[in-house]
Amino acid sequence: MFLLVVRGGGGVDLMGHGHTTITSSQDVSFEAQADMLLQFLDALEIDTVDLVANDSGVGIAQIFAVRHPGRLRTLTLTNGDVHDNWPPAGFAGFLDMVPAGGLPERIAAMARDHDVYRGPDGFEGAYENPAAVSGDTVDAYIQPLLANQRSVADLERFILAFDPAQTVAIESQLKGLRTPTLVVWGTGFIFFPVSWSRWLADTIPGTRRRVEYDGATLLLPEERPRALSSELRAHWATI
């Protein structure tokens, strides 16, 4: 998940996440996603951006940052994929379901009953308060995956391409990354513990500030937007 800020804000849809149409043979690895981001910026003739990343976007953003530091004005990383912390061990059941062919029915079940999305077979653990997730939010995530027959297959390929070797390989480059960086981490998401926010802050010399939100989980950008926005404004104002 990304927020790409260029004179305002806007999200960049990852390949294999519903809104973006790709071919069945297109590479959807983290490295390929970072290449896509560069091509996106080039196509729009955008020189530099403030890049904010969450979840899988965190790993992709790190790869992009070490490859193209001159294209970033600032970098912000929230709970997500770092070094060898992904895919998290607690995610194993979901990962086993995907190659077994269970993803289409799971997505269909979430579309039929939003409480499945909010529950233990969905994204309960990703939210601090899953019961408060609106139906519109659920639809925003799920409906694009039902848009055509290829969408779920593309998401399956994205999940099956998970390989932490891509982020482990850039550790030495991160140690030379001087892009002004903000690290914001929720303490309540057990899959990506707060120790990884410290790892990022200690590894990236450009880190200006590291923030912990007590009890926040993976999707803190959705649940604590005012707090995150305040940190972002302060971060951007220092550049």
Side-chain angles (χ1 to χ4, degrees), residues 119-139:
D121 290 332
F123 291 88
E124 180 180 57
Y127 290 96
E128 191 174 359
N129 186 10
V133 178
S134 71
D136 287 344
T137 295
V138 177
D139 286 338

Side-chain angles (χ1 to χ4, degrees), residues 116-193:
V116 175
Y117 176 93
R118 302 182 184 104
D121 290 332
F123 291 88
E124 180 180 57
Y127 290 96
E128 191 174 359
N129 186 10
V133 178
S134 71
D136 287 344
T137 295
V138 177
D139 286 338
Y141 279 114
I142 299 302
Q143 290 303 320
L145 297 171
L146 303 175
N148 61 70
Q149 293 182 340
R150 282 234 46 87
S151 295
V152 174
D154 290 335
L155 180 59
E156 287 175 334
R157 290 197 302 114
F158 174 76
I159 294 168
L160 294 175
F162 283 177
D163 183 359
Q166 297 169 95
T167 45
V168 171
I170 64 169
E171 179 178 358
S172 62
Q173 293 167 279
L174 285 176
K175 291 178 179 179
L177 183 64
R178 301 198 175 277
T179 300
T181 300
L182 169 67
V183 179
V184 180
W185 220 260
T187 67
F189 190 61
I190 60 172
F191 291 167
F192 297 141

Side-chain angles (χ1 to χ4, degrees), residues 29-111:
S29 67
F30 278 25
E31 292 171 340
Q33 303 278 2
D35 289 341
M36 176 274 292
L37 182 56
L38 177 65
Q39 293 165 15
F40 177 87
L41 296 179
D42 287 346
L44 295 181
E45 299 182 346
I46 297 171
D47 292 329
T48 60
V49 295
D50 298 292
L51 185 61
V52 182
N54 174 257
D55 198 13
S56 295
V58 171
I60 296 164
Q62 291 170 74
I63 294 171
F64 180 87
V66 300
R67 288 181 175 181
H68 313 288
R71 304 301 291 269
L72 295 181
R73 196 180 78 101
T74 67
L75 176 65
T76 299
L77 304 173
T78 67
N79 292 66
D81 299 346
V82 179
H83 201 254
D84 64 356
N85 78 344
W86 65 284
F91 206 51
F94 181 84
L95 292 177
D96 291 341
M97 175 198 67
V98 175
L103 187 60
E105 175 50 35
R106 182 68 60 85
I107 290 173
M110 292 179 187

Side-chain angles (χ1 to χ4, degrees), residues 214-230:
D214 188 37
T217 57
L218 178 66
L219 294 176
L220 69 86
E222 291 183 24
E223 294 191 293
R224 302 205 185 187
R226 291 184 179 179
L228 180 58
S229 294
S230 178

